[in-house]
Amino acid sequence: MLRLSNNNLTGEIPINMGRLTQLGILDLSSNKLEGYIPIELSNLKNLFQLNLADNLLHGSIPQEIGALSSLQLFDLSSNNLSGLVHGSIGNCLELRSLNLSGNNFTGNIPTALGVLHNLQYMLDLSDNSFTGAIPSQLSGLIMLDTLNLSHNELNGSIPQSFKNMESLISIDVSYNELEGVVPESKLFQGAPLKWFMHNKMLCGVVTGLPHCSSTTVNQGKRKGYKTLVLAVVPVLMSLVLVVFVLMFQHERNKSKAIDTDKVTQKNVFSIWSFDGANVFKQIVEATNDFSEIHCIGTGGYGSVYKARLPTSEIFAVKKMCVIEDESCAKGSLFHREIEALVQIRHRNIVKLFGYCSCSQGKFLIYEYMERGDLAEALGINGRAVELDWRRRIHIVLDVVHALAYMHHDCWSPIVHRDITSKNILLDQEFRACISDFGTAKILNIDGNNITRLAGTKGYLAPELAYTENVTEKCDVYSFGVLVMELFMGSHPGELLSSLSEANKNNTLSLQHLLDSRLELPDAETAGEIYHMLSVAVQCLEPSPSRRPTTRRASDELSASKAFEDHVHYLHAGLTIPT
């Protein structure tokens, strides 16, 4: 790792950096570096993060960058780069985030970007000079969260195939020359108008856009038929070829002996496009066959191991407890977690990369979160101080956005049922992710959802004492407890029980609720915290019907408010329900 970001470095990037062949992370962002991107950087075959953003670099992207086959994060934003973006970038098949915004790239958007199926966090091409139509191939980015094509010179229409991009959380095509019908999908129907403003003539389902006339629709249909004809022939030919290849491979596999390795996997599913059996073999080697030395956590349902692969990728591997009866609870936890996580994609929900059920046990393979769980961070004084007020505010937003997505944006609502500080993980940048979906339940929206009690004492909604019908409001209550815990620095259980037993005025000032290990916040930050705790106490209402939905809580917490310096929020009272 070499991080030199946020300094005042000038001059050119030394070509000798191309000799650092073991380098995994290179971050030179936010400096005053000039000159070209050295071709020699293509020698860094182990590089998986390259951040050159916010400099004064010029020239084009070297075609040789396509040789960085391990690259996952590539950020060239806010430079003076220009020229065409070559299709060679499509060779970086492991890319999860690509940001080329704020430059002067010209020409068409490369169709090769559509093969980057692992792109998940971001594809940002905004603030450039791209021309031509938006490639329909981008709809192949089925894991993508954020697509930003704004502030370019793109024309034509938004491809109708974009309605199939179910993982998209946001898409911004504003400030272009686009026209025609906006695709009809849940994302576009609920999208804000600002994502589509300042175009030639877009129409359709977005609130604020004009309704499409029959002429516009017919023109769109004719274009669609042409595209369909041009697309169907090669697709059919490809399908025929794939069928022949699969038949040949199937017959070949039948004749092979299966006992070729120590690891014999019965079922490996990979969300990534890697060879599952090979990766699992590497995980076994990286953990010394799941040695205690590599164990980073143990719970009631298994242990979690840190596995660093030869590619420098790091995974968290949960090894479920060995069980005999597949129908017992622990067996169903394994399948329930897979069922929930395979369906959802959100930047604040831990990523499930694969799973395995084999003779050695059951394993779940997740992204590795460097800072561990929130409970541990709050429990250690030194680490708790690192969680300053701003970071705690962002953690609240991360969690509520993920819950709102689970409850309102999935095909069927998903209730986690165990939202606790132990199940909130933090990465190196303090991004929070919800983890541990072993007790999650996918709700039947047409009927009752009766299930056995699950969760952690101190976070359980009070109605679970007299009903087995689980709803999203159970997660809302747990979220309220979590927010209190985050700003208090410890679980609020003793406070809540003492208020209940005292049977008197349960209004407390903000100052008396805040974690004493941190300095008191400034007036503006205190206002934000007060606002967040006000929402949290609504989530703690004993009656589920009086609690807000996570969508309402998310909207309320995300709303930008002006907090005035002269208002003494630290002394303002919060009435806590008991």
Side-chain angles (χ1 to χ4, degrees), residues 262-283:
K262 175 184 174 183
V263 181
T264 55
Q265 289 176 268
K266 295 178 183 176
N267 178 23
V268 175
F269 171 77
S270 166
I271 299 174
W272 278 4
S273 56
F274 52 42
D275 177 354
N278 181 50
V279 171
F280 186 74
K281 177 184 175 183
Q282 292 180 43
I283 287 172

Short mmCIF file of all heavy atoms in Angstrom, two decimals, residues 262-283:
data_model
loop_
_atom_site.label_atom_id
_atom_site.label_comp_id
_atom_site.label_asym_id
_atom_site.label_seq_id
_atom_site.Cartn_x
_atom_site.Cartn_y
_atom_site.Cartn_z
N LYS A 262 -8.11 -32.08 -2.43
CA LYS A 262 -8.52 -32.24 -1.04
C LYS A 262 -9.88 -31.63 -0.79
O LYS A 262 -10.68 -32.11 0.00
CB LYS A 262 -7.47 -31.56 -0.14
CG LYS A 262 -7.82 -31.55 1.34
CD LYS A 262 -6.76 -30.76 2.09
CE LYS A 262 -7.15 -30.60 3.54
NZ LYS A 262 -6.19 -29.79 4.28
N VAL A 263 -10.18 -30.54 -1.48
CA VAL A 263 -11.46 -29.86 -1.31
C VAL A 263 -12.45 -30.42 -2.31
O VAL A 263 -12.33 -30.21 -3.50
CB VAL A 263 -11.30 -28.35 -1.53
CG1 VAL A 263 -12.62 -27.64 -1.34
CG2 VAL A 263 -10.25 -27.79 -0.59
N THR A 264 -13.48 -31.12 -1.84
CA THR A 264 -14.50 -31.67 -2.73
C THR A 264 -15.79 -30.93 -2.44
O THR A 264 -16.44 -31.15 -1.43
CB THR A 264 -14.69 -33.18 -2.47
OG1 THR A 264 -14.98 -33.36 -1.10
CG2 THR A 264 -13.43 -33.94 -2.82
N GLN A 265 -16.19 -30.06 -3.35
CA GLN A 265 -17.35 -29.22 -3.13
C GLN A 265 -18.58 -29.81 -3.80
O GLN A 265 -18.56 -30.15 -4.97
CB GLN A 265 -17.09 -27.83 -3.67
CG GLN A 265 -16.09 -27.07 -2.81
CD GLN A 265 -15.79 -25.75 -3.42
OE1 GLN A 265 -14.85 -25.64 -4.18
NE2 GLN A 265 -16.58 -24.76 -3.11
N LYS A 266 -19.66 -29.91 -3.03
CA LYS A 266 -20.92 -30.42 -3.57
C LYS A 266 -21.70 -29.31 -4.27
O LYS A 266 -22.42 -29.56 -5.22
CB LYS A 266 -21.76 -31.00 -2.44
CG LYS A 266 -21.13 -32.23 -1.78
CD LYS A 266 -21.99 -32.70 -0.64
CE LYS A 266 -21.36 -33.88 0.06
NZ LYS A 266 -22.13 -34.31 1.24
N ASN A 267 -21.57 -28.11 -3.76
CA ASN A 267 -22.36 -27.03 -4.33
C ASN A 267 -21.65 -25.71 -4.11
O ASN A 267 -21.46 -25.29 -2.99
CB ASN A 267 -23.74 -27.00 -3.65
CG ASN A 267 -24.59 -25.87 -4.18
OD1 ASN A 267 -24.36 -25.40 -5.28
ND2 ASN A 267 -25.55 -25.42 -3.39
N VAL A 268 -21.21 -25.08 -5.15
CA VAL A 268 -20.58 -23.77 -5.03
C VAL A 268 -21.33 -22.79 -5.92
O VAL A 268 -21.50 -23.04 -7.10
CB VAL A 268 -19.09 -23.83 -5.46
CG1 VAL A 268 -18.50 -22.42 -5.43
CG2 VAL A 268 -18.31 -24.73 -4.54
N PHE A 269 -21.79 -21.73 -5.32
CA PHE A 269 -22.47 -20.69 -6.10
C PHE A 269 -21.62 -19.44 -6.03
O PHE A 269 -21.17 -19.04 -4.99
CB PHE A 269 -23.85 -20.39 -5.51
CG PHE A 269 -24.50 -19.18 -6.13
CD1 PHE A 269 -25.07 -19.26 -7.37
CD2 PHE A 269 -24.49 -17.97 -5.47
CE1 PHE A 269 -25.65 -18.14 -7.94
CE2 PHE A 269 -25.07 -16.86 -6.02
CZ PHE A 269 -25.65 -16.95 -7.25
N SER A 270 -21.39 -18.80 -7.16
CA SER A 270 -20.56 -17.61 -7.19
C SER A 270 -21.34 -16.45 -7.78
O SER A 270 -21.82 -16.54 -8.90
CB SER A 270 -19.31 -17.86 -8.02
OG SER A 270 -18.69 -16.64 -8.32
N ILE A 271 -21.48 -15.37 -7.02
CA ILE A 271 -22.08 -14.16 -7.55
C ILE A 271 -21.06 -13.46 -8.45
O ILE A 271 -21.39 -12.83 -9.42
CB ILE A 271 -22.53 -13.23 -6.41
CG1 ILE A 271 -23.57 -13.95 -5.55
CG2 ILE A 271 -23.11 -11.94 -6.92
CD1 ILE A 271 -23.98 -13.22 -4.32
N TRP A 272 -19.80 -13.57 -8.09
CA TRP A 272 -18.74 -13.08 -8.96
C TRP A 272 -18.52 -14.08 -10.08
O TRP A 272 -18.98 -15.21 -10.05
CB TRP A 272 -17.45 -12.94 -8.17
CG TRP A 272 -17.34 -11.69 -7.40
CD1 TRP A 272 -18.29 -10.73 -7.26
CD2 TRP A 272 -16.22 -11.27 -6.63
NE1 TRP A 272 -17.83 -9.73 -6.46
CE2 TRP A 272 -16.56 -10.03 -6.05
CE3 TRP A 272 -14.97 -11.80 -6.37
CZ2 TRP A 272 -15.71 -9.32 -5.25
CZ3 TRP A 272 -14.12 -11.10 -5.56
CH2 TRP A 272 -14.48 -9.87 -5.01
N SER A 273 -17.73 -13.65 -11.07
CA SER A 273 -17.46 -14.53 -12.19
C SER A 273 -16.14 -15.27 -12.01
O SER A 273 -15.40 -15.47 -12.96
CB SER A 273 -17.42 -13.72 -13.49
OG SER A 273 -16.46 -12.69 -13.38
N PHE A 274 -15.80 -15.62 -10.77
CA PHE A 274 -14.58 -16.39 -10.59
C PHE A 274 -14.88 -17.89 -10.54
O PHE A 274 -16.02 -18.30 -10.48
CB PHE A 274 -13.80 -15.97 -9.34
CG PHE A 274 -14.61 -15.93 -8.05
CD1 PHE A 274 -15.52 -16.92 -7.72
CD2 PHE A 274 -14.43 -14.89 -7.15
CE1 PHE A 274 -16.22 -16.88 -6.54
CE2 PHE A 274 -15.13 -14.86 -5.96
CZ PHE A 274 -16.03 -15.86 -5.67
N ASP A 275 -13.81 -18.69 -10.59
CA ASP A 275 -13.93 -20.14 -10.48
C ASP A 275 -14.12 -20.47 -9.00
O ASP A 275 -13.18 -20.40 -8.22
CB ASP A 275 -12.66 -20.79 -11.03
CG ASP A 275 -12.67 -22.31 -10.90
OD1 ASP A 275 -13.60 -22.84 -10.28
OD2 ASP A 275 -11.75 -22.95 -11.43
N GLY A 276 -15.34 -20.83 -8.61
CA GLY A 276 -15.65 -21.03 -7.20
C GLY A 276 -14.78 -22.06 -6.51
O GLY A 276 -14.29 -21.85 -5.41
N ALA A 277 -14.56 -23.20 -7.17
CA ALA A 277 -13.76 -24.27 -6.56
C ALA A 277 -12.34 -23.80 -6.30
O ALA A 277 -11.76 -24.06 -5.24
CB ALA A 277 -13.77 -25.49 -7.47
N ASN A 278 -11.78 -23.06 -7.25
CA ASN A 278 -10.40 -22.59 -7.11
C ASN A 278 -10.29 -21.57 -5.97
O ASN A 278 -9.36 -21.60 -5.18
CB ASN A 278 -9.94 -21.97 -8.42
CG ASN A 278 -8.50 -21.47 -8.33
OD1 ASN A 278 -7.62 -22.20 -7.89
ND2 ASN A 278 -8.27 -20.24 -8.73
N VAL A 279 -11.28 -20.67 -5.87
CA VAL A 279 -11.25 -19.67 -4.81
C VAL A 279 -11.39 -20.33 -3.45
O VAL A 279 -10.69 -19.97 -2.49
CB VAL A 279 -12.37 -18.62 -5.01
CG1 VAL A 279 -12.48 -17.72 -3.80
CG2 VAL A 279 -12.07 -17.78 -6.24
N PHE A 280 -12.26 -21.33 -3.35
CA PHE A 280 -12.43 -22.00 -2.06
C PHE A 280 -11.14 -22.71 -1.65
O PHE A 280 -10.74 -22.70 -0.48
CB PHE A 280 -13.59 -22.99 -2.10
CG PHE A 280 -13.89 -23.59 -0.74
CD1 PHE A 280 -14.52 -22.84 0.22
CD2 PHE A 280 -13.50 -24.88 -0.44
CE1 PHE A 280 -14.77 -23.37 1.47
CE2 PHE A 280 -13.75 -25.42 0.80
CZ PHE A 280 -14.39 -24.66 1.76
N LYS A 281 -10.47 -23.30 -2.62
CA LYS A 281 -9.18 -23.95 -2.33
C LYS A 281 -8.19 -22.92 -1.78
O LYS A 281 -7.47 -23.18 -0.81
CB LYS A 281 -8.63 -24.59 -3.61
CG LYS A 281 -7.26 -25.23 -3.44
CD LYS A 281 -6.76 -25.75 -4.77
CE LYS A 281 -5.34 -26.29 -4.62
NZ LYS A 281 -4.78 -26.75 -5.91
N GLN A 282 -8.16 -21.72 -2.40
CA GLN A 282 -7.27 -20.66 -1.93
C GLN A 282 -7.63 -20.20 -0.52
O GLN A 282 -6.76 -19.87 0.28
CB GLN A 282 -7.32 -19.47 -2.89
CG GLN A 282 -6.74 -19.75 -4.27
CD GLN A 282 -6.84 -18.53 -5.17
OE1 GLN A 282 -6.57 -17.41 -4.74
NE2 GLN A 282 -7.24 -18.74 -6.41
N ILE A 283 -8.94 -20.18 -0.22
CA ILE A 283 -9.38 -19.78 1.12
C ILE A 283 -8.92 -20.79 2.16
O ILE A 283 -8.45 -20.42 3.25
CB ILE A 283 -10.91 -19.62 1.15
CG1 ILE A 283 -11.31 -18.34 0.40
CG2 ILE A 283 -11.44 -19.57 2.58
CD1 ILE A 283 -12.80 -18.18 0.19
#
